[in-house]
Every structure is written in C-alpha cells, then in structure tokens.
Amino acid sequence: MKGQAVSPYRLRRMEFEDIGQVELIEREAFPTLWPPTSYRKELKNNLANYLVCVHTGEFVEERNGVASRDGIISRALSFLGIIKSKQDVVTSRELIVGFIGMWCMADEGHIVSIAVKENYRRKGLGELLLLGSLELAIDTGLYDVTLEARVTNYGAHALYEKYGFRHVGVRKGYYSDNREDAAIMTTDPILSVQYKGMLEERRSKFEKRYDDSERLSY
C-alpha cells in the first residue's frame, strides 16, 4: 500500500534474545500459569514456531538478560546483590509488545499461546499476530489450524470466528486455575481457494484500518 503511513508494529520470528521480554508478557497475561513456558526449549523444538510483535520506535533495556523498559528491575536486582554491577552486560533491543506460538504437527497447526502487553491491547495487535500465524501456516503448507479458548472469552471467540475458526468441541476443566472448560476451534482447509481469498480480504481490511502494519518474511 505504497504512499501510506506504515505502522510502527511489525512481526518477526522470535529469537533467543527475546526470551526475557516474552517471559514478562507471559507472566502479565497468564499470572496463574504453572509451570511457566520454557522458551529456550521451545525455540529448539522443530515443531514450534513463535512470532513476536515489536514496536520499532521503542526500546527496552536488558541487563544480564533481565528485561525492563526503564531499567527499574535490573537496578533493583543490582542493589540487592543478585546482579553485580561490575558484571553487568547492558543491551538495548526493540520493545516486544506481543507474541504468538504455534506448533506444526504433521499437517496441522496448533496455536498454543497468544498474548499482548497490557498497555498495548485494543490496538489490533492480537489480530495482527493471529493473521501472521495463519499466513505462516499457509506458507508451511499446513492443512488446518486449531486452538483452545476459554468458553467465556467471547471477545476471543469473535476474533477467531472472523478468521474462519469454528467450534468443534469442548475440553472439560482444561484451565488449571479455575477448571474452566475450553472451546476447541478449528479452521476449514487453509490451502483452499476459498480460505486464501477470505484471508486476503481480512488482511486488506486490517491494513486499511491499522495503517498497513508491516510484516517481515517468516
């Protein structure tokens, strides 16, 4: 969409250097999750594919792998003696505002996690992440994509239905924090002409609404 302003948000594959920021987002979005996700193992897993959404105009300070946008966390750890100042390794990286994880098993994609940093919600970034994962699934040649969502998370259901997911079942007591059921949702074949056409239409509308959010090659 030449000539239009480009959103500062873009997607790329998750890297090992992103783990600190992604862990902070996971703890914020899923405070009762236990055990936390081992992203080092996930990034070494050939079945797992993670994308992050970065804000290209903002940066975060990381001190010895501990992420803090303003350095408060790392300075506190240094004061407590957990991090020795003379050993500090400080780096500056683009701010990560969300992530999505998808496992590719045989010919099926399974979205295992999606989260957006609290201060950046309601900006269309969850939709951008979902759209990116579906494009990745098509590029990988998968047959369909599935996911689970809390049965009471009606906003998420509406977003997933918008991208062709339909309810196919329920997992009883799926969520460990309150034993809430999970709705199982899946797409129709994503390599079909019909689905690709629908996705392209959704992408076009999204770009018009959110200033042509840029995607990198995956």
Side-chain angles (χ1 to χ4, degrees):
M1 302 180 70
K2 199 171 180 179
Q4 291 194 5
V6 177
S7 165
Y9 304 106
R10 63 180 176 85
L11 301 185
R12 62 167 172 78
R13 283 191 181 271
M14 181 179 169
E15 303 169 352
F16 281 99
E17 292 79 7
D18 300 327
I19 290 176
Q21 291 193 67
V22 169
E23 287 177 337
L24 287 177
I25 296 173
E26 180 183 75
R27 287 198 294 271
E28 179 185 76
F30 311 113
T32 62
L33 178 65
W34 187 261
T37 305
S38 175
Y39 289 105
R40 290 196 176 278
K41 288 184 178 179
E42 287 290 274
L43 292 182
K44 293 177 182 178
N45 183 351
N46 292 332
L47 300 178
N49 293 270
Y50 280 82
L51 301 176
V52 294
C53 180
V54 300
H55 190 306
T56 58
E58 296 195 37
F59 295 84
V60 62
E61 173 192 297
E62 290 189 351
R63 195 176 293 260
N64 290 0
V66 179
S68 173
R69 188 172 173 186
D70 55 11
I72 293 175
I73 294 176
S74 56
R75 288 198 297 271
L77 292 176
S78 179
F79 176 78
L80 294 172
I82 298 173
I83 294 177
K84 303 298 183 182
S85 296
K86 64 181 181 180
Q87 297 174 342
D88 280 354
V89 177
V90 180
T91 57
S92 179
R93 293 179 60 80
E94 289 177 331
L95 177 67
I96 295 174
V97 296
F99 70 92
I100 189 167
M102 179 176 64
W103 278 41
C104 300
M105 299 173 288
D107 61 351
E108 181 178 276
H110 184 198
I111 293 176
V112 295
S113 185
I114 179 171
V116 173
K117 200 173 179 68
E118 186 173 6
N119 292 343
Y120 290 84
R121 293 172 190 168
R122 291 173 290 280
K123 298 178 182 291
L125 302 182
E127 184 172 353
L128 176 61
L129 286 161
L130 179 64
L131 181 52
S133 70
L134 291 169
E135 292 176 338
L136 176 59
I138 289 175
D139 290 344
T140 306
L142 301 180
Y143 178 77
D144 59 14
V145 178
T146 66
L147 54 79
E148 288 89 17
R150 292 179 184 269
V151 292
T152 57
N153 193 347
Y154 305 117
H157 294 189
L159 173 61
Y160 300 144
E161 289 168 357
K162 177 179 177 180
Y163 282 85
F165 287 83
R166 52 191 174 79
H167 293 255
V168 295
V170 173
R171 296 195 195 281
K172 293 290 185 180
Y174 182 77
Y175 294 98
S176 59
D177 58 344
N178 63 357
R179 307 306 300 171
E180 184 175 356
D181 297 344
I184 305 170
M185 305 181 72
T186 190
T187 64
D188 289 327
I190 61 176
L191 297 180
S192 67
V193 173
Q194 293 83 355
Y195 191 88
K196 287 182 177 180
M198 179 276 292
L199 192 64
E200 183 60 33
E201 179 184 352
R202 295 287 185 271
R203 175 177 177 169
S204 177
K205 289 181 178 179
F206 178 88
E207 289 172 344
K208 290 177 181 177
R209 191 164 72 251
Y210 292 107
D211 297 327
D212 194 12
S213 292
E214 180 185 2
R215 292 166 192 73
L216 295 186
S217 59
Y218 307 130

